[in-house]
Amino acid sequence: MSQFPHLFAPLDLGHVTLPNRVLMGSMHTNLEERGDWNAVAEFYAERARGGVGLMVTGGMAPNSEGGVFPGAAGLFTPEDIAHHKIITDRVHDAGGRIAMQILHAGRYAYGPKCVAPSAIKSPISPFPPTELDEAGIEKQIADIATSAARAREAGYDGVEVMGSEGYFLNQFLARHTNKRDDAWGGSYENRMRLPVEVMKRVRAAVGDDFIVIFRISLIDLVPEGSTWDEVVTLAKAIEAAGASMLNTGIGWHEARVPTIATSVPRAAFTWLTGRLRPEVSIPVITSNRINTPGVAEEVLAEGSADMVSMARPFLADPDFVNKAQAGRAAEIAPCIACNQACLDHTFQGKVSSCLVNPRAGHETEIVITPTTSPKTIAVVGAGPAGLSAAITAAQRGHSVTLFDRAAEIGGQLTMARAVPGKEEFHGLTDWFATMVDKTGVSLRLNTEATVATLADFDEVIIATGVRPRDPEIPVEGGQVASYIDILKGRVTAGPRVAIIGAGGIGFDVAEFLTVDDSPTLDLEEWKREWGVGDPAQTAGGLAEPQPEPPTRAVTLLQRKREKLGRRLGKTTGWIHRAALQMKNVQMIGGVNYERITDEGLHVSYGEARETPGVIAADTVVLCAGQLTERSLADALIEAGRSPHVIGGADVAAELDAKRAIDQGTRLAAAI
Ligand code: NAP
Ligand code: SF4
């Protein structure tokens, strides 16, 4: 019997039976907009081969005004339909099923043509929408229904109508954005008229033997959002209008509560699907922060949903389902919910990929094939760059030895996982350990590699990483520690701390020093901290945030005169800033560091080093960036060798695990 019996129970939808309870949720890849249809088809086909029950594409625009940005992809012409046929054929050939998401962005559309129920600009777009008149509303409904009919023509097995996350349909539902006083606004019956009409017309357009999923917002997390009674009323009306399944959406994009970031507890919102499920008779799909088969199985076993939607986990590992079914769950590359290569890329107009799996979105470009000339390869440094290179090279049939002077693998990842809210990094280091073992990499820990020990290898890959930059501030007293001392627990900071440097590590250290027990591991505490209430009690499910008091008084500093954290991830930077604000962390930019004494950190401001002052601190923590550690690489070059240098040892500036893993994988795919 399967280790995950609920996950692998078939789901009968009447005209079709899905082989398991796993849905690959919609993700915008940016591949469609590039017109490389072979690449798009391969992206989905690889995941179909991986065994997922049903996939949903990234959102396709029903018309030009509803696209998330000007030029957003959609099924507008016969050529578009022919292009999408390439995708559906390839998926069907691989034995999979795929539904197309229809996404009308409404006022979230990033363009001057955007339309909405009322002319209220969203806080996340500079474009004020035009309020639709009666004819305009009819056009939107007709365009969505036409889009569904074209999806069927293009060979899709179904469509998902996006009715959550604060997009167009959701905007009609909530008083927050719908101020109309005609038949499309006012009472809830009027506000839900548009989504229900859309559902009816979509069903009429596609016939009965076609999957239609409606994505419904269960908790808007914005003021004047839907109440729970309204959610249930809508769910029943959408079922009556012909939906095959309800997928769940959590929080509008403008909500100031994180809903998918790594610090959100796993399966944080399944209590809501569990509550909706008995109200309807069609299957209910749950989502958000489910990233292992174990968690998915638990959610299904406790009756919180009929199916589990996971999106980013399929970027991290297209074979998620097959590996789970084969009892190889430990080999599933975990999505750590960092957003660094997926959502952050999407918003930068880049192809969505994955920090853990650089092949995601680049399936036709990074091809890992068995080598025709096996070599002996030494990799020095078992951080993310070295581990990726070692595993990929070994998978290809090379004989790989991995050296690290430390007693454990992981490099910088071992520090990241100590930070409250970054517990997912444990899963990543565990996965690397499994794969080192599985691929037969010979691991030599506690071993200092030298020019002599590396002499007999055909190829040498140097991934020796970085060392902390010393900002060279005169120290006349007081306690000074590096971020490594703090995160490794070698130094315990005093009650008042000044942190020098406000990059990713400065922010992490501030979190580490102000938080006692991680709320990520305690759902009820996390909900209190962020003000996640119950939509049955307050519209939209917003409550007053009640953060735990900080465990230390922390001041975070940088020399640049700009908002602290401005360079953090596009979709996660605001969360880190908000989390530290909740802990009363003082954030000061534009300082010069003068000296450190028993009193604390002496600073001044501006080029003229004016208005000197003291940041009272018992401990000063240095998080001033890194320098490359390439002494071994230099020694090898000196000895006439030509090592490959990757990761932080190559370029330290703005190094992160994304670049390290990408570089390691690409090198090993080619070596
Ligand atoms: P970083 O992002 O480059 O930040 C270094 C900080 O040190 C900056 O605030 C910089 O600000 C300051 N600094 C630089 N030179 C200095 C000097 N000589 N004296 C005093 N201050 C100096 O590096 P990091 O924080 O060490 O992070 C390393 C990498 O890991 C980064 O790429 C980061 O993105 C990544 N990371 C990411 C996350 C994440 O959550 N995504 C978390 C941790 C780390 P000023 O020059 O303005 O003073
Ligand atoms: Fe998950 Fe991060 Fe990969 Fe995105 S980049 S899929 S969040 S691991």
Side-chain angles (χ1 to χ4, degrees):
M1 182 171 146
S2 163
Q3 199 186 344
F4 309 109
H6 295 86
L7 206 55
F8 290 103
L11 181 62
D12 184 359
L13 296 179
H15 72 281
V16 63
T17 299
L18 302 178
N20 53 55
R21 304 300 180 106
V22 185
L23 179 94
M24 179 175 116
S26 173
M27 290 174 283
H28 199 82
T29 61
N30 271 340
L31 283 168
E32 288 85 349
E33 282 76 14
R34 304 201 166 203
D36 184 348
W37 297 99
N38 182 43
V40 191
E42 198 43 38
F43 172 80
Y44 287 112
E46 184 156 320
R47 282 144 185 93
R49 286 193 290 275
V52 60
L54 177 65
M55 297 182 285
V56 181
T57 66
M60 294 294 134
N63 53 29
S64 60
E65 59 269 34
V68 278
F69 48 82
L75 297 187
F76 307 125
T77 64
E79 289 77 40
D80 291 336
I81 294 172
H83 290 146
H84 281 255
K85 193 93 180 43
I86 302 171
I87 302 172
T88 55
D89 282 349
R90 195 85 63 87
V91 167
H92 293 149
D93 288 348
R97 288 189 179 79
I98 185 163
M100 186 187 90
Q101 189 188 72
I102 305 172
L103 170 60
H104 190 310
R107 71 178 195 149
Y108 281 170
Y110 207 80
K113 286 168 70 178
C114 63
V115 295
S118 302
I120 307 167
K121 194 183 84 60
S122 102
I124 58 172
S125 159
F127 300 101
T130 301
E131 180 173 319
L132 286 164
D133 60 16
E134 192 73 34
I137 289 175
E138 170 52 34
K139 176 182 183 302
Q140 307 311 312
I141 299 170
D143 288 349
I144 294 172
T146 303
S147 187
R150 289 180 181 160
R152 181 165 190 151
E153 209 183 320
Y156 283 103
D157 301 279
V159 288
E160 176 174 87
V161 177
M162 177 42 128
S164 64
E165 257 77 3
Y167 286 117
F168 183 62
L169 272 54
N170 212 174
Q171 289 159 23
F172 270 82
L173 288 165
R175 290 188 193 282
H176 184 63
T177 39
N178 185 344
K179 307 289 181 193
R180 302 178 74 97
D181 55 11
D182 60 2
W184 307 94
S187 67
Y188 193 63
E189 197 188 347
N190 283 353
R191 281 181 280 131
M192 74 174 194
R193 191 180 305 281
L194 177 106
V196 174
E197 191 58 27
V198 163
M199 187 59 234
K200 283 185 194 159
R201 299 269 286 275
V202 165
R203 176 53 79 198
V206 296
D208 288 340
D209 55 345
F210 196 67
I211 300 169
V212 182
I213 306 167
F214 186 91
R215 185 122 174 237
I216 183 171
S217 178
L218 298 192
I219 184 167
D220 293 335
L221 299 172
V222 292
E224 293 189 291
S226 293
T227 64
W228 185 251
D229 280 348
E230 290 172 348
V231 171
V232 173
T233 305
L234 177 67
K236 291 182 175 184
I238 291 292
E239 177 180 3
S244 321
M245 292 195 274
L246 290 172
N247 195 357
T248 53
I250 302 294
W252 289 29
H253 285 320
E254 69 203 65
R256 293 292 87 184
V257 177
T259 55
I260 60 166
T262 193
S263 57
V264 176
R266 286 176 170 182
F269 296 97
T270 54
W271 56 282
L272 286 160
T273 25
R275 195 191 277 175
L276 181 66
R277 194 169 168 237
E279 304 281 357
V280 291
S281 47
I282 50 177
V284 174
I285 306 165
T286 198
S287 69
N288 288 54
R289 286 292 285 118
I290 299 170
N291 65 342
T292 70
V295 175
E297 174 68 19
E298 213 177 297
V299 167
L300 293 170
E302 74 191 14
S304 294
D306 300 281
M307 196 169 190
V308 171
S309 169
M310 291 176 269
R312 297 171 297 171
F314 285 96
L315 294 177
D317 198 331
D319 285 327
F320 184 106
V321 173
N322 283 349
K323 286 180 183 172
Q325 193 157 26
R328 292 163 47 213
E331 291 174 41
I332 296 173
C335 165
I336 56 170
C338 65
N339 287 356
Q340 279 176 253
C342 51
L343 272 180
D344 285 351
H345 276 201
T346 307
F347 286 105
Q348 292 159 17
K350 296 184 193 165
V351 168
S352 288
S353 186
C354 176
L355 173 142
V356 174
N357 171 26
R359 288 194 65 249
H362 303 282
E363 285 77 11
T364 55
E365 180 193 332
I366 309 175
V367 182
I368 296 169
T369 49
T371 179
T372 49
S373 52
K375 294 176 179 166
T376 56
I377 300 179
V379 181
V380 186
L387 285 163
S388 310
I391 290 166
T392 308
Q395 277 170 336
R396 296 190 55 220
H398 293 299
S399 168
V400 181
T401 307
L402 176 59
F403 296 90
D404 202 299
R405 64 161 79 105
E408 59 178 342
I409 65 162
Q412 301 273 320
L413 300 177
T414 60
M415 280 178 275
R417 71 188 180 197
V419 177
K422 292 204 160 176
E423 290 78 9
E424 291 291 351
F425 279 88
H426 284 283
L428 184 54
T429 44
D430 289 349
W431 175 74
F432 274 127
T434 300
M435 296 312 289
V436 163
D437 191 41
K438 176 88 195 162
T439 56
V441 170
S442 167
L443 183 60
R444 308 266 294 274
L445 293 173
N446 301 305
T447 306
E448 187 86 43
T450 62
V451 173
T453 47
L454 299 174
D456 294 334
F457 288 92
D458 298 331
E459 304 273 358
V460 177
I461 299 175
I462 297 296
T464 42
V466 291
R467 58 193 158 85
R469 176 188 284 124
D470 179 357
E472 297 178 0
I473 301 164
V475 178
E476 296 167 11
Q479 184 187 39
V480 181
S482 80
Y483 65 88
I484 301 174
D485 295 331
I486 296 293
L487 294 175
K488 293 236 174 207
R490 299 198 288 237
V491 169
T492 303
R496 300 166 308 165
V497 180
I499 299 176
I500 289 178
I505 292 181
F507 269 77
D508 276 357
V509 167
E511 185 87 24
F512 181 86
L513 292 174
T514 51
V515 174
D516 198 355
D517 295 321
S518 173
T520 302
L521 303 177
D522 180 343
L523 179 58
E524 291 311 314
E525 187 190 332
W526 179 85
K527 281 161 68 183
R528 276 196 303 279
E529 286 237 3
W530 286 97
V532 177
D534 187 337
Q537 278 158 23
T538 53
L542 281 183
E544 191 59 37
Q546 294 177 305
E548 291 287 310
T551 49
R552 288 181 184 79
V554 168
T555 308
L556 183 60
L557 302 116
Q558 72 180 17
R559 298 170 306 172
K560 286 189 283 293
R561 288 168 180 271
E562 63 179 36
K563 188 162 85 171
L564 272 74
R566 198 172 75 82
R567 295 158 200 243
L568 297 175
K570 176 111 180 121
T571 60
T572 49
W574 68 272
I575 302 170
H576 294 300
R577 277 193 299 274
L580 294 193
Q581 275 155 6
M582 284 201 265
K583 300 295 172 189
N584 300 326
V585 170
Q586 303 302 306
M587 300 190 199
I588 306 177
V591 296
N592 308 306
Y593 307 113
E594 300 295 347
R595 59 190 203 283
I596 298 165
T597 69
D598 288 339
E599 280 180 90
L601 176 64
H602 295 248
V603 296
S604 64
Y605 298 89
E607 279 180 26
R609 306 190 95 88
E610 287 158 344
T611 55
V614 186
I615 312 285
D618 308 294
T619 308
V620 175
V621 184
L622 306 178
C623 305
Q626 284 95 16
L627 304 171
T628 55
E629 174 47 69
R630 48 176 301 143
S631 45
L632 181 57
D634 291 341
L636 284 163
I637 292 166
E638 184 91 348
R641 302 290 305 269
S642 305
H644 307 271
V645 185
I646 59 171
D650 177 27
V651 181
E654 297 188 357
L655 171 78
D656 58 20
K658 181 180 83 169
R659 174 156 65 80
I661 293 174
D662 184 77
Q663 210 180 0
T665 307
R666 283 176 192 266
L667 170 67
I671 209 162

